[in-house]
Amino acid sequence: MTDLFESYASDFAQLRQSIENRLAVDFSSMSAETRHSALRHADAEAEEAGELVSQMEIEVQSFPSAVRDRYVAELRALKHSLEKLQQDIYRDSDLEANDDVQQRQRLLRGTDVLERGSRRLADSTRLAMETEDIGANILQDLQRQREQIEHSRDTVCAKLVAPISNFCFSYMEQIHTLIGRHGRCKK
């Protein structure tokens, strides 16, 4: 009778050791996926250990009352051990959930920073295009003003230089004529 109970107790001890080994690792050094997988395996083993405890409860009921008290006490200790393991698993799961929340918050902050950067980039691009348009308009205005100045210069030159040029040409002819006469007089 007690052999089956002892077999269950032995299986329970192996599962407890396996769960404790899984929970003894440093979860902070693991990737989220590896940590999640380890906790899932520990939870599955805890469920299996719970089933073993249920089987042991059934077995204890069939024991004679002379030995039953001793096994009931052992069963209570195993249940307590299982509850502690389950609390450890849930605590680590909560830590993992907190890590997920923190990671989500970091991702949201990163997304917010990217969106602000994108808005600034769009504003800068818009400002650069406006500046380029203003620069192009200024260049067109300067080109028109240059053409006006050149036209004004040509007009002034045509109106002033032509008479001066004619005057100078006529004056030069008179000087040339005088020099020519004066040169003949000395001969």
Side-chain angles (χ1 to χ4, degrees):
M1 255 191 219
T2 60
D3 291 341
L4 189 56
F5 183 91
E6 295 296 333
S7 172
Y8 288 148
S10 174
D11 291 345
F12 180 89
Q14 288 175 353
L15 285 171
R16 181 179 61 209
Q17 185 62 46
S18 175
I19 294 169
E20 287 173 349
N21 289 342
R22 286 185 194 281
L23 297 178
V25 298
D26 181 17
F27 285 117
S28 64
S29 65
M30 291 181 170
S31 70
E33 188 176 314
T34 304
R35 184 174 50 236
H36 186 67
S37 175
L39 289 172
R40 270 188 291 136
H41 287 298
D43 192 39
E45 288 175 334
E47 275 188 47
E48 189 177 339
E51 291 172 9
L52 287 173
V53 167
S54 296
Q55 291 297 322
M56 288 190 284
E57 286 176 330
I58 294 170
E59 288 298 316
V60 164
Q61 291 173 4
S62 65
F63 289 172
S65 58
V67 290
R68 183 181 308 154
D69 291 338
R70 188 185 79 146
Y71 286 103
V72 167
E74 184 179 342
L75 187 58
R76 267 193 224 118
L78 293 177
K79 280 183 180 180
H80 179 71
S81 174
L82 178 61
E83 288 171 2
K84 185 182 176 317
L85 287 174
Q86 287 172 330
Q87 288 172 356
D88 290 345
I89 291 168
Y90 294 128
R91 182 196 68 230
D92 288 342
S93 294
D94 287 344
L95 291 175
E96 180 183 16
N98 284 341
D99 288 347
D100 289 345
V101 168
Q102 289 174 352
Q103 183 178 13
R104 180 175 290 128
Q105 288 173 344
R106 282 192 304 270
L107 287 172
L108 289 173
R109 282 192 302 266
T111 301
D112 186 46
V113 167
L114 284 174
E115 286 174 356
R116 280 185 281 153
S118 294
R119 281 193 302 269
R120 278 193 227 128
L121 183 60
D123 290 345
S124 297
T125 301
R126 182 185 45 76
L127 183 62
M129 293 182 80
E130 288 174 4
T131 304
E132 185 179 349
D133 288 345
I134 291 170
N137 289 337
I138 289 172
L139 286 174
Q140 288 175 352
D141 288 346
L142 289 173
Q143 179 64 31
R144 278 193 297 272
Q145 290 173 2
R146 179 177 179 213
E147 289 171 0
Q148 286 175 346
I149 291 171
E150 286 176 349
H151 178 70
S152 298
R153 184 194 66 204
D154 292 345
T155 302
V156 167
C157 284
K159 292 193 178 195
L160 289 178
V161 173
I164 292 174
S165 173
N166 288 340
F167 173 75
C168 288
F169 183 70
S170 143
Y171 186 68
M172 293 296 273
E173 279 183 357
Q174 289 175 1
I175 291 175
H176 184 59
T177 307
L178 284 174
I179 291 176
R181 285 188 206 156
H182 185 31
R184 283 189 234 156
C185 292
K186 287 193 173 186
K187 288 188 192 174

